[in-house]
Amino acid sequence: MTSRFADGLAVGSDLVEAAESAVGRALSRLSGQADLVCFFICGDDPDDVARAGEAAMKLAPEAHVIGCSATGVIGDGQGVELTPSVSAWAATLDGARLTTFALETLSAEDRFVVVGLPERKGDDHVAILLADPYTFPTDAFVERSADVLGDLPLIGGLANGLQGRGSVRLFADGEIYSEGAIGVLISGQVKISTVVSQGCRPIGPSMVVTAAEENLLLELAGQPALARLEDIVSDLDEDDRELVASGLQIGVAMDEYAERHERGDFLIRGVIGIDPEREAVAIGDIVEIGRTVRFQVRDAATADEDLYDLLDAHREEIGKVDGALLFSCNGRGSAMFGTADHDPVALRDTLGPIGVAGFFAAGEVGPVGGHNHVHGFTASVLVFSHTAGGP
């Protein structure tokens, strides 16, 4: 069976052979010539990863090709973690215009400047971004992307390698990079959408930030933030208290004018500590006074329900889905669900037997509430849906 989107997966210590197998399988399952190929490599030796990436890029000389190293890959309906492996994804995108790019950071006085961005056009749909978290300021770039890119959605993930810093490899149209970021801008006649599942459940009430300093929440709804948090925790059952102890989160409401703020209405950020002397709560972001926040917890059941609900709703809204790219946090998979296969299986269950590939990222990029953000513990999905006149 062939289609416009296909994936492949190969596991084995010979990464060049695995890359050729995975990419070859994806290409062989396409109904036409590949326009875009994405591949992801997990390997012990960065030099082996580079050689595998070079081999992968040679297999589709007529296509735009991007890829990166990772600590785990996703393909063929499953995930593979911390094991030498390669996943690949190939797409025939009739009517689309593709522009690959490589970004680097230059220092300019007391700030940085990112160079290499493609020029925006009116029919741009989305940009896939794969970045080295050790050398590229992904958080700052993504959070400020609207200043340069307008409302263009960014989706993708932070690459990594099994050896950590220095082992990341990025690939774009025949070139190999050991720092920075790469990606592809997708424009033209193609139907694309995004899904970002943050997998959290609210606890306690929504509260307005009434005093804050940098990333410290000092007051919530006119009371010391720590006292508010302690009151909320005291009302929880034992199971939810354990979730709070294992990793409390906070959600920042994306729509201040909504009558109610429930699951999915927030940008999730971590609670990273408390300051007992100031009765403050430290979080992994800076929230302005006047914003609405709500504490959150995350567990496997909540994350499972959130992903399935979002994908089901998305499928109902957009209709037939043809393919997808999946960027799943390396804190999900077996660490959260007991299996590396959870997220790709969820996509197959809800969207159908489509071509899906991706990798386990060290941070995920995706839009929430119309703005691009870097996330943790999320599944960010780029969905390609059926277009009129397509097969």
Side-chain angles (χ1 to χ4, degrees):
M1 178 179 172
T2 58
S3 64
R4 297 193 303 123
F5 298 85
D7 60 276
L9 174 71
V11 180
S13 57
D14 187 332
L15 287 181
V16 171
E17 182 179 301
E20 292 174 343
S21 175
V23 174
R25 289 178 187 177
L27 293 174
S28 69
R29 295 169 178 171
L30 283 184
S31 55
Q33 179 175 295
D35 296 306
L36 177 62
V37 174
C38 302
F39 64 86
F40 312 99
I41 305 173
C42 177
D44 296 310
D45 186 335
D47 292 335
D48 288 346
V49 170
R51 283 189 286 270
E54 189 172 25
M57 289 187 287
K58 289 180 179 178
L59 292 176
E62 304 301 319
H64 291 277
V65 185
I66 63 170
C68 68
S69 58
T71 58
V73 303
I74 295 168
D76 199 24
Q78 60 187 295
V80 180
E81 300 169 314
L82 306 175
T83 302
S85 52
V86 180
S87 67
W89 181 88
T92 299
L93 298 171
D94 296 329
R97 187 176 70 257
L98 304 172
T99 307
T100 54
F101 57 84
L103 307 180
E104 62 176 316
T105 308
L106 303 178
S107 297
E109 297 177 354
D110 61 344
R111 60 192 179 93
F112 67 84
V113 177
V114 173
V115 297
L117 281 169
E119 186 176 338
R120 283 291 317 270
K121 298 291 197 315
D123 61 349
D124 295 339
H125 293 291
V126 70
I128 301 170
L129 180 71
L130 308 176
D132 175 6
Y134 303 104
T135 64
F136 188 76
T138 314
D139 284 76
F141 172 76
V142 170
E143 293 296 334
R144 298 180 181 177
S145 61
D147 296 343
V148 178
L149 301 174
D151 60 355
L152 180 73
L154 297 177
I155 196 154
L158 304 187
N160 210 339
L162 292 180
Q163 304 301 322
R165 179 183 290 274
S167 68
V168 174
R169 296 295 180 268
L170 306 169
F171 308 93
D173 282 358
E175 298 295 327
I176 302 173
Y177 303 88
S178 58
E179 59 182 25
I182 59 94
V184 59
L185 176 64
I186 304 177
S187 315
Q189 297 180 15
V190 59
K191 192 174 179 182
I192 303 177
S193 52
T194 60
V195 175
V196 178
S197 173
Q198 301 179 91
C200 279
R201 168 168 54 85
I203 57 172
S206 295
M207 297 167 288
V208 174
V209 177
T210 48
E213 183 180 300
E214 295 295 329
N215 70 322
L216 283 179
L217 300 180
L218 301 175
E219 288 185 4
L220 296 175
Q223 299 295 322
L226 183 54
R228 284 285 188 184
L229 174 57
E230 290 172 342
D231 287 344
I232 291 169
V233 173
S234 67
D235 289 336
L236 299 177
D237 61 30
E238 185 175 342
D239 289 342
D240 278 352
R241 288 184 189 180
E242 289 183 4
L243 293 179
V244 168
S246 64
L248 180 64
Q249 315 292 317
I250 193 165
V252 182
M254 301 308 296
D255 181 3
E256 287 293 334
Y257 301 103
E259 291 185 9
R260 299 179 63 188
H261 294 103
E262 303 297 338
R263 190 183 72 184
D265 295 331
F266 299 91
L267 173 66
I268 304 299
R269 290 294 184 250
V271 173
I272 59 178
I274 59 173
D275 184 340
E277 290 188 4
R278 304 184 70 182
E279 295 188 87
V281 176
I283 67 173
D285 206 342
I286 296 175
V287 179
E288 298 175 351
I289 293 172
R291 295 299 297 272
T292 299
V293 297
R294 192 174 181 185
F295 288 107
Q296 314 266 330
V297 292
R298 178 189 282 122
D299 61 359
T302 299
D304 172 84
E305 182 182 352
D306 188 62
L307 180 57
Y308 272 89
D309 285 352
L310 285 172
L311 290 172
D312 280 333
H314 198 70
R315 172 67 182 267
E316 289 182 10
E317 179 182 348
I318 66 175
K320 185 177 184 297
V321 175
D322 295 332
L325 283 166
L326 169 61
F327 308 99
S328 183
C329 181
N330 55 21
R332 291 171 69 96
S334 58
M336 177 177 285
F337 301 107
T339 171
D341 303 337
H342 177 274
D343 289 352
V345 167
L347 263 67
R348 290 282 178 94
D349 286 347
T350 54
L351 304 182
I354 60 175
V356 175
F359 72 100
F360 290 100
E364 305 75 59
V365 177
V368 171
H371 299 280
N372 295 316
H373 300 282
V374 178
H375 309 275
F377 292 94
T378 69
S380 291
V381 189
L382 180 61
V383 179
F384 293 78
S385 48
H386 192 68
T387 53

